Amino acid sequence: MDAAGWDERYRGSELVWRAEPNRFVEQELAGLEPSGRAVDLAAGEGRNAVWLAERGWEVDAVDFSAVALEKAERLAAERGVRLRTVHADLTHRTASEATYDLALIAYLHLPWPEMTEVLPRAATAVREGGTLLLVGHHAANPERGYGGPQDPRVLYTAEQVADLWRPYADILRAETVTRPVTDAEGNSHTALDTLVHAVRR
């Protein structure tokens, strides 16, 4: 969907996603000492950005949905933390190099040619020794998992992401991970996600 489509999806008063951080974001970053500036790319309603701010990070939450960012600001206010929201299309946004100590990308799904531009820019925006983390729906999820985008053109593997980050970072983890999902009828399913965790050189 384009920005208008996401605006419409986010327009209701309730959160589309849960207010708690993504399980893999929390798992991978809970032990990381807050050390300055973080950016959450495609932050949506801000659940991960707010969690990072609660931990002591100075967070920029970037998304192309103005409606989502308004909800992120409300969630931050409810939790007593501050976010800097940035209304921008990641396919056109370039951050200054070595600006952040952490870059998070959670469930950003663009056509792969656009991802090959966004991911290196995310890497170069991180300072030496800083952290890169991506979590997203795995390319095999439509066939072997559950939910998420069904268009293979916007899905990817851990190795594809890791290949784009290797020129800039040391890869700590690049794996397919599983996530339990409950559908509207209460049935349990298993989703397949891509997880890549790296440290900027």
Side-chain angles (χ1 to χ4, degrees):
M1 291 190 289
D2 59 12
W6 279 107
D7 279 346
E8 190 58 36
R9 184 171 186 182
Y10 285 129
R11 206 169 297 283
S13 59
E14 297 299 317
L15 292 173
V16 174
W17 318 113
R18 296 179 307 149
E20 296 78 20
N22 171 265
R23 66 174 58 231
F24 300 118
V25 171
E26 185 172 18
Q27 173 184 301
E28 294 295 311
L29 300 181
L32 187 65
E33 189 69 27
S35 58
R37 297 187 65 191
V39 62
D40 184 357
L41 299 171
E45 297 164 303
R47 61 179 182 146
N48 296 313
V50 167
W51 178 77
L52 289 170
E54 288 176 323
R55 294 189 54 75
W57 292 93
E58 181 184 340
V59 186
D60 288 355
V62 183
D63 204 279
F64 71 173
S65 169
V67 175
L69 291 176
E70 288 172 6
K71 294 172 84 170
E73 290 172 351
R74 287 200 298 271
L75 181 61
E78 290 168 7
R79 298 287 185 85
V81 295
R82 296 184 64 180
L83 294 179
R84 176 175 176 261
T85 55
V86 181
H87 185 212
D89 185 333
L90 293 177
T91 61
H92 300 119
R93 179 179 186 265
T94 55
S96 300
E97 292 193 8
T99 300
Y100 297 102
D101 303 284
L102 166 65
L104 169 63
I105 302 172
Y107 301 96
L108 171 63
H109 291 277
L110 301 168
W112 186 246
E114 294 179 11
M115 290 294 286
T116 64
E117 296 177 1
V118 170
L119 292 176
R121 287 203 298 264
T124 59
V126 174
R127 300 184 181 103
E128 181 181 348
T131 297
L132 291 157
L133 179 64
L134 176 140
V135 182
H137 300 287
H138 193 278
N141 194 54
E143 291 183 4
R144 302 195 344 248
Y146 179 81
Q150 300 298 297
D151 184 349
R153 295 172 297 179
V154 302
L155 299 173
Y156 39 76
T157 67
E159 196 57 34
Q160 284 178 290
V161 175
D163 282 347
L164 291 175
W165 278 352
R166 278 196 182 94
Y168 313 97
D170 295 323
I171 307 301
L172 303 183
R173 188 179 180 194
E175 300 176 15
T176 304
V177 291
T178 60
R179 175 172 46 87
V181 179
T182 303
D183 64 23
E185 287 73 42
N187 301 309
S188 297
H189 304 274
T190 299
L192 302 182
D193 284 347
T194 288
L195 189 153
V196 182
H197 188 165
V199 174
R200 183 79 161 92
R201 285 194 300 272

